[in-house]
């Protein structure tokens, strides 16, 4: 691959990521809800927090969302299948993104019996 082409692809990718982050930030702005003073205690659902200085590719973001949905933990093959990959490629598809998420401490790897591994949000 030519170096110029590689730089162009990386530049487009960075623009896409910045645009996605901007869209997510604007979508999270919601009008505040007025609460009645005599209501029962309301528990807020904890949303997974992504550090603002971490830039994730769309694939990494997709993998992170799948792991966040499964609070009890999920294996790489389960992540790939949830993303719509075919059975034979599911685990290998997810491992690259999981490595980056582990480095950024967004997910935690738990070793089960033998070579079984599950991932949970940090």
């Amino acid at each position: 691959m030519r170096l110029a082409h590689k730089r162009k692809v990386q530049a487009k990718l960075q623009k896409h990521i910045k645009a996605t982050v901007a869209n997510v930030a604007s979508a999270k702005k919601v009008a505040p809800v007025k609460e009645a003073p005599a209501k029962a205690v309301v528990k807020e659902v904890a949303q997974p927090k992504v550090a603002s200085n971490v830039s994730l590719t769309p694939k990494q973001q997709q993998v992170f969302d799948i792991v966040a949905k499964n609070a009890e933990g999920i294996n790489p093959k389960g992540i790939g299948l949830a993303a719509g990959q075919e059975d034979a490629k599911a685990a290998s598809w997810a491992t690259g993104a999981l490595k980056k998420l582990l480095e950024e401490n967004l997910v935690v790897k738990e070793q089960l019996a033998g070579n079984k591994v599950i991932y949970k949000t940090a």
Side-chain angles (χ1 to χ4, degrees), residues 11-71:
K12 284 183 180 180
L13 181 62
Q14 292 300 324
K15 287 180 184 177
H16 178 70
I17 292 170
K18 289 179 183 176
T20 304
V21 171
N23 289 342
V24 169
S26 65
K28 288 185 179 179
K29 294 180 183 177
V30 179
V33 177
K34 295 181 182 178
E35 296 181 17
K39 291 284 182 178
V41 177
V42 177
K43 294 182 181 179
E44 294 183 14
V45 177
Q47 294 292 326
K49 295 181 182 178
V50 179
S52 60
N53 60 356
V54 177
S55 61
L56 298 176
T57 63
K59 179 178 175 180
Q60 291 166 348
Q61 185 63 47
Q62 182 183 14
V63 169
F64 181 72
D65 292 340
I66 293 169
V67 172
K69 287 178 187 174
N70 295 291

Side-chain angles (χ1 to χ4, degrees), residues 87-109:
D87 196 23
K89 297 179 184 177
S92 63
W93 178 86
T95 53
L98 285 168
K99 285 181 184 177
K100 168 74 175 191
L101 295 173
L102 278 170
E103 289 175 7
E104 300 295 338
N105 295 325
L106 296 174
V107 297
V108 178
K109 180 178 180 180

